[in-house]
Amino acid sequence: MQVRVLGCSGAIAKDCRTTSFLVDTDLLVDAGTGVGDLTLDEMARIDDVVLTHSHLDHIAALPLMLDAIGSRRTQPLRVHALHATIEALRAHVFNNVIWPDFESIPSPEAPFVSFHDISVGQMLQLGTSAPKLIEVLPAVHTVPACGFAVRRATGGAHWVFSGDTERNAPFWDRVNALDVAMLIIETAFSSREQALAERSLHLSPEVLADELAHIDPDKRYPIYITHTKPAETEEIMSQIEMLAGRQVAGLAQRDIRWLKADGILTF
């Protein structure tokens, strides 16, 4: 399985694109500004989008992508998300004020997009040429949110994405039961902004360490840090390295890496 990192930043700046991952060629996980780096042909090959939540940095490119490739498709783009996320999209984006209602364009019978409710704990099978199983994982955020674990339908290890989340024991209960190839986990703020991180239900380096301490000691896989704010990325990664050097539980002896856009993750 191949995961192309289109965007993994917590905000925009030069060379910083917000969260979006292309799994193989047909599955998009979140639809941040990184989608804009895809060609029209690459966008048109996407059949399914799974969304972690409704915040703008994770859905910003969805309406623009539909406008770009909707007329090239013979079937609606299928968007899978929590019910609250879909309702937010309908009310605040595809409302004929901010953007056209592509659920009824060009017609209600043949729309550019169709929305499909998902729930935590659900298992989805998506993809035709290379079917994938996607498990919906719990997340703790300021709006209803989730994460995902993705693997081949035929078996194998999982690519796990936390989504936007703060402390989340149920997430670790489930992850520890999975065969994990790699974990993508957010750390949006530095220690200097820990109060803001807690208020906005994001992780900071110290809380990240607390969370990673939930991983079973015998589990070993690379852990990629994502969703860093551009102005704080170097500070965040320096603080994580410092805590790891001090042998802080959760970070000691872990393979911690900074996720970068334009990278390809293969497993």
Side-chain angles (χ1 to χ4, degrees), residues 236-251:
I236 291 167
M237 294 310 299
S238 176
Q239 290 169 353
I240 291 172
E241 290 174 5
M242 179 187 66
L243 292 169
R246 292 179 180 175
Q247 300 295 300
V248 170
L251 294 174

Side-chain angles (χ1 to χ4, degrees), residues 212 215-217 219-223 243-256:
L212 296 183
I215 299 174
D216 286 345
K219 299 278 189 176
R220 296 292 173 192
Y221 44 77
I223 298 167
L243 292 169
R246 292 179 180 175
Q247 300 295 300
V248 170
L251 294 174
Q253 308 304 314
R254 291 291 174 189
D255 181 3
I256 308 292

Side-chain angles (χ1 to χ4, degrees), residues 55 140-143 165-167 186 188-204 207:
H55 280 162
V140 177
H141 200 37
T142 55
V143 296
T165 191
E166 219 248 1
R167 294 174 178 87
E186 70 117 293
F189 293 98
S190 68
S191 302
R192 175 169 48 85
E193 299 281 8
Q194 185 164 338
L196 179 57
E198 291 176 354
R199 179 178 178 182
S200 58
L201 294 181
H202 282 289
L203 298 178
S204 60
V207 182

Side-chain angles (χ1 to χ4, degrees), residues 23-27 44-48 73 75 78 80 124-134 151-154:
V23 182
D24 293 335
T25 61
D26 56 353
L27 173 66
R45 284 194 285 269
I46 297 169
D47 291 323
D48 294 280
R73 295 182 54 80
Q75 297 292 328
R78 298 182 292 267
H80 311 264
L124 312 172
Q125 181 166 318
L126 304 177
T128 52
S129 59
K132 290 164 278 289
L133 286 180
I134 299 97
R151 69 166 175 86
R152 286 266 181 255
T154 52

Side-chain angles (χ1 to χ4, degrees), residues 157-174:
H158 296 76
W159 176 80
V160 178
F161 175 41
S162 71
D164 285 11
T165 191
E166 219 248 1
R167 294 174 178 87
N168 187 4
F171 174 83
W172 300 110
D173 291 342
R174 184 58 192 143

